[in-house]
Amino acid sequence: MRVELRVCRHCFEGEHENEHKTKITRDLVACAEIIEEHKHHLDLDDVHIRWVTEDEDDDGRPDAIPAVAATIQNEQIMVSDTQLITMGENGYMMVYPNPQDALKVLSGNIDELNKVTSGNVTPTLSPEGAEILTSGQTDVQEREDDDIDY
């Protein structure tokens, strides 16, 4: 199985001034980095973190897995700047354009790692990330300009 987390570098660095999304984005990256470091324990072929920027030379294309999730808003195609894509050995892909869903998937992998490794590899999550995982919260305060439109 292959995993690609596409994440907005500007959200990660807090440049969009959306503190909630910044914390969730950092939680996603923390989980993905641990999974990448221990991927051999989960029989993952590849874990890739793709940093998306709003720079002119970054068109937001995927790096490792050729799939992109999009929605239509105000008759415009909107591509989420943060999304998780997984691809199994059979070629089936799962796309998680919602950061909350992506965090749940990644934390499930962390749980599996904790079962097969000798130590605790759980990252310290923000209170916002922890609440998503414990309460099933699904709405994140995201701004429309955090998406890439084509």
Side-chain angles (χ1 to χ4, degrees):
M1 176 181 274
R2 299 169 61 207
V3 176
E4 180 174 353
L5 174 66
R6 296 183 199 134
V7 63
C8 175
R9 175 159 312 269
H10 304 289
C11 290
F12 181 83
E13 294 175 357
E15 295 174 13
H16 290 306
E17 298 179 10
N18 183 334
E19 188 176 332
H20 184 80
K21 188 168 183 185
T22 296
K23 289 178 180 179
I24 300 303
T25 302
R26 290 178 179 168
D27 290 344
L28 288 166
V29 171
C31 288
E33 288 175 339
I34 289 171
I35 294 165
E36 182 178 36
E37 182 180 337
H38 299 280
K39 67 184 177 188
H40 59 282
H41 290 295
L42 297 175
D43 291 326
L44 295 174
D45 297 319
D46 186 33
V47 177
H48 188 81
I49 301 171
R50 161 72 161 96
W51 295 98
V52 178
T53 66
E54 294 176 353
D55 299 335
E56 287 181 22
D57 59 337
D58 186 356
D59 61 6
R61 290 180 194 224
D63 272 351
I65 301 175
V68 177
T71 59
I72 297 177
Q73 294 178 2
N74 299 324
E75 298 185 26
Q76 293 252 336
I77 296 173
M78 303 296 290
V79 177
S80 174
D81 56 11
T82 300
Q83 52 186 268
L84 177 69
I85 300 90
T86 63
M87 186 167 88
E89 291 177 15
N90 59 7
Y92 290 120
M93 291 184 237
M94 302 287 288
V95 181
Y96 304 90
N98 182 312
Q100 296 80 6
D101 293 339
L103 185 59
K104 289 175 186 177
V105 170
L106 293 173
S107 69
N109 282 285
I110 297 289
D111 290 344
E112 289 302 312
L113 277 172
N114 281 321
K115 292 176 185 176
V116 297
T117 58
S118 58
N120 183 353
V121 297
T122 305
T124 301
L125 298 179
S126 68
E128 291 81 354
E131 183 174 335
I132 288 169
L133 296 176
T134 59
S135 72
Q137 176 183 341
T138 57
D139 63 330
V140 164
Q141 304 161 355
E142 295 186 43
R143 296 183 352 199
E144 287 183 17
D145 63 351
D146 287 345
D147 292 331
I148 302 168
D149 60 38
Y150 293 90

